[in-house]
Amino acid sequence: MTGKTTAPKGHAAPKGHPAPKGHAAAKGHAAAKEEPAPAPSAEHPPAEHPPGEHPPAEHPAAEHPPAPEHPPAAEHGPEHPPAAPADEAAAAPKAEGAPAPEEGSAAPPAEPHPPAAEPEPEKPKAEPPSPPLSLAVGEVSENSVTLTWKTPEHTGSSVLDGYVVEFCKDGSTDWTAANQEPSPAVRYTIRNLAAGEKIHIRVKAVNANGASVPATLEQPVLIREIQQRPRIRMPRHLRQTYVRHVGEAVNLMIPYQGKPQPQVTWTKDGQPLDTKRVNTRNGEKDTIFFIREAQRTDSGKYELTIRVNGAEDKATLDIQVIETPGPPQNLKLVDVWGFNVALEWGPPADNGNSEIKGYLVQKSDKKSGQWFTVLERCTRTSCTISDLIIGNTYSFRVFAENACGMSEKAAVTSKPAHIQKTKTVYQPEKIRQRDMMEPPKFTQPLTDRTTTRGYSTHLFCSVRGFPKPKIIWMKNQMEIREDPKYIAMMAQGVCSLEIRKASPFDGGVYTCKAVNPLGEASVDCKLDVKGEM
């Protein structure tokens, strides 16, 4: 558009009266500020108005006549209000559609669109943690209460700093913080409370964003010491005899329970402990029994007693201090015969405060002088040593052994044992000859058989007897002699007769007879030969 505005038909200037110059200037000024009016389209042609009538308000360009030469500001008065801004006049055509430029006029430059701003990332919401879980009372005494809880389900948008425990007296609303700084633990003890009071307790979880909704105990807590019967919790390995070696330390801790604080007493065999040998230390929940260097005199039964307000519990600790035993006594060489030696001895005088488990027996020949073990863990006080070498001289010694180990010293035979050479005559044992003679006897008889013509068949039986019996085969009571049709065999007492390519003529009764000098025996069977199918 060039700034020219086409006047409507009802407002055409009369012929011979040109528009004043000021009007042309105003037209140029309006073209610079106002946007071009939309061109009439074929679908919506502009409506014609009779002369003297003004167009409707939605056509601002046709509503106002050309401005006079004087500036608009000097001409406006109370009777002539100022014209609407050009922006308002262009608003209605833009709502209807984009204006079509007139022919021969240049389109106005398109206004540049500002670049779209990138959306700023959303900052995480500052959320406090959720309340602690499973708040419960762990222990109550006459001036304190111990609480336990679990971590919150959600810790919020920052790291959990800890927990704040608050309490107030029953009937009051003044809550007091038990800890000035958040505690990271999930267990807390409120101390310096007055006995007999009832207090309400709550716990808050705290992080950088604030404190959570408090977790509160449903019922107030009465501050008083709970009575608990005394009970000794003797460890399993101390319920049987506790064994230590001489010189070792004994350091035992035995836990117990009871409220109020139990009174602890140790005795040995009904007498008070010797504090020079045994030290004890009693705590709130356990007692410690200590011996720096155990001696055999420290063995015995120690009794632990704890009492609470007339109630008591007892436990017995059996301690056994052991050492290696002494050597066996009275080792004697009882007998020597052939390759063998018999020894006897007595148990040691000192068993080391432990049962003797056995004895170790060793031998040494005079030539080498070295000791060799011949018996271990011998539970008897006598033994026989065999397989000694003829012509050698031997010495013997015996050690005692208990749970602590082997005795340091051994008992040694006072005199050696000499294995002498002796002449021996071999006399073979007479073996009685067994009578093996036996008449023939069939252990497996012949069985009836049926065969097909043209096929070979076998007859079997078994026989025993001594001397070996002679086997005779017969057919229909006629002895079968050397006939290529029959093959007779005997192996390991099994007799067999093969009839080759049997025919109906070969059918009949077959007999096997066994004969030796002591007698004879026979068995029969029937053979049936059928024709071909």
Side-chain angles (χ1 to χ4, degrees):
M1 301 290 290
T2 58
K4 295 181 179 181
T5 304
T6 304
K9 292 181 180 181
H11 296 273
K15 294 181 182 180
H17 292 79
K21 293 181 180 179
H23 180 72
K27 290 171 66 178
H29 179 72
K33 291 185 178 181
E34 296 180 358
E35 292 183 2
S41 60
E43 296 180 0
H44 301 280
E48 294 184 1
H49 302 278
E53 293 186 5
H54 296 285
E58 62 266 11
H59 301 286
E63 181 180 356
H64 300 282
E69 292 181 359
H70 301 286
E75 193 173 349
H76 296 321
E79 299 178 358
H80 302 278
D87 294 338
E88 294 181 4
K94 286 183 180 179
E96 295 180 1
E102 295 183 0
E103 296 181 1
S105 63
E111 294 183 2
H113 296 283
E118 295 183 0
E120 296 182 0
E122 294 185 3
K123 295 182 180 180
K125 295 181 180 180
E127 295 182 359
S130 59
L133 304 175
S134 304
L135 178 61
V137 177
E139 186 177 354
V140 179
S141 68
E142 60 184 359
N143 57 4
S144 66
V145 58
T146 300
L147 306 170
T148 60
W149 62 87
K150 295 182 180 179
T151 56
E153 184 176 359
H154 303 290
T155 59
S157 58
S158 63
V159 180
L160 196 66
D161 293 337
Y163 305 91
V164 174
V165 181
E166 297 178 342
F167 65 94
C168 73
K169 295 182 180 180
D170 189 21
S172 173
T173 57
D174 296 333
W175 290 90
T176 303
N179 53 331
Q180 300 301 326
E181 297 293 333
S183 173
V186 292
R187 181 184 178 93
Y188 191 82
T189 301
I190 306 175
R191 304 183 184 277
N192 302 324
L193 300 174
E197 285 186 345
K198 284 186 178 182
I199 61 172
H200 295 269
I201 303 174
R202 67 185 184 183
V203 179
K204 299 179 181 179
V206 180
N207 66 3
N209 299 323
S212 69
V213 176
T216 309
L217 290 176
E218 296 181 357
Q219 299 294 333
V221 181
L222 177 61
I223 306 303
R224 64 179 180 84
E225 189 162 12
I226 300 175
Q227 297 291 331
Q228 186 179 29
R229 291 187 59 84
R231 182 183 177 187
I232 300 173
R233 306 178 68 89
M234 183 68 73
R236 185 180 298 273
H237 70 284
L238 298 180
R239 297 176 188 175
Q240 53 191 358
T241 303
Y242 184 71
V243 180
R244 303 299 289 173
H245 295 175
V246 171
E248 292 182 344
V250 178
N251 190 3
L252 304 175
M253 183 183 70
I254 301 175
Y256 56 77
Q257 63 186 27
K259 290 183 180 180
Q261 179 65 32
Q263 179 185 358
V264 182
T265 306
W266 281 95
T267 59
K268 178 185 179 184
D269 300 330
Q271 300 296 326
L273 298 182
D274 183 4
T275 56
K276 295 181 180 179
R277 296 289 313 151
V278 182
N279 296 321
T280 60
R281 186 176 64 187
N282 304 324
E284 294 183 0
K285 296 183 179 181
D286 55 47
T287 179
I288 296 177
F289 182 93
F290 179 72
I291 301 176
R292 186 175 299 276
E293 292 184 1
Q295 301 296 328
R296 289 174 59 175
T297 55
D298 296 326
S299 301
K301 296 183 181 298
Y302 294 81
E303 189 174 74
L304 170 63
T305 304
I306 63 172
R307 296 184 177 89
V308 175
N309 296 336
E312 67 177 26
D313 190 19
K314 294 184 179 182
T316 301
L317 175 63
D318 189 4
I319 297 179
Q320 183 180 7
V321 183
I322 63 174
E323 61 181 345
T324 56
Q329 300 183 76
N330 304 324
L331 177 59
K332 295 184 296 183
L333 185 63
V334 178
D335 193 8
V336 178
W337 74 100
F339 311 99
N340 310 306
V341 170
L343 301 175
E344 284 185 358
W345 61 88
D350 180 12
N351 63 358
N353 199 26
S354 177
E355 182 182 358
I356 299 297
K357 292 186 175 181
Y359 300 93
L360 177 72
V361 182
Q362 293 182 335
K363 68 177 180 179
S364 173
D365 63 275
K366 189 176 181 180
K367 294 180 181 180
S368 66
Q370 296 181 353
W371 291 97
F372 299 93
T373 300
V374 292
L375 286 176
E376 289 183 325
R377 294 288 181 94
C378 178
T379 56
R380 297 176 298 172
T381 56
S382 62
C383 69
T384 299
I385 302 174
S386 304
D387 299 330
L388 300 176
I389 299 175
I390 295 177
N392 285 4
T393 301
Y394 292 92
S395 296
F396 302 92
R397 67 181 183 183
V398 180
F399 292 88
E401 183 180 5
N402 66 0
C404 189
M406 205 76 64
S407 60
E408 296 180 358
K409 296 182 180 180
V412 184
T413 53
S414 58
K415 59 180 181 178
H418 181 69
I419 309 302
Q420 298 180 354
K421 296 180 180 179
T422 56
K423 294 182 179 180
T424 57
V425 178
Y426 175 70
Q427 295 180 354
E429 183 181 357
K430 295 181 179 180
I431 301 175
R432 186 180 64 178
Q433 295 291 335
R434 182 180 177 183
D435 187 7
M436 303 295 293
M437 304 297 286
E438 182 182 9
K441 181 180 179 181
F442 282 92
T443 58
Q444 183 67 34
L446 293 172
T447 57
D448 295 342
R449 293 184 62 84
T450 301
T451 185
T452 306
R453 178 179 180 179
Y455 289 88
S456 299
T457 187
H458 292 77
L459 303 178
F460 293 97
C461 63
S462 59
V463 66
R464 70 180 183 184
F466 191 82
K468 182 179 179 181
K470 178 182 178 181
I471 303 302
I472 301 173
W473 286 94
M474 293 182 293
K475 174 189 173 186
N476 298 329
Q477 301 300 321
M478 298 294 293
E479 182 178 354
I480 300 174
R481 298 185 178 274
E482 297 180 0
D483 189 342
K485 190 174 186 65
Y486 302 97
I487 301 176
M489 299 181 65
M490 179 179 178
Q492 302 295 327
V494 178
C495 305
S496 65
L497 177 65
E498 180 183 1
I499 305 172
R500 305 175 63 187
K501 296 183 179 180
S503 63
F505 175 76
D506 296 323
V509 178
Y510 286 83
T511 303
C512 180
K513 180 186 291 187
V515 180
N516 74 355
L518 298 180
E520 63 179 34
S522 63
V523 290
D524 300 330
C525 73
K526 183 178 181 181
L527 178 64
D528 187 12
V529 180
K530 294 183 178 180
E532 295 182 359
M533 298 301 294

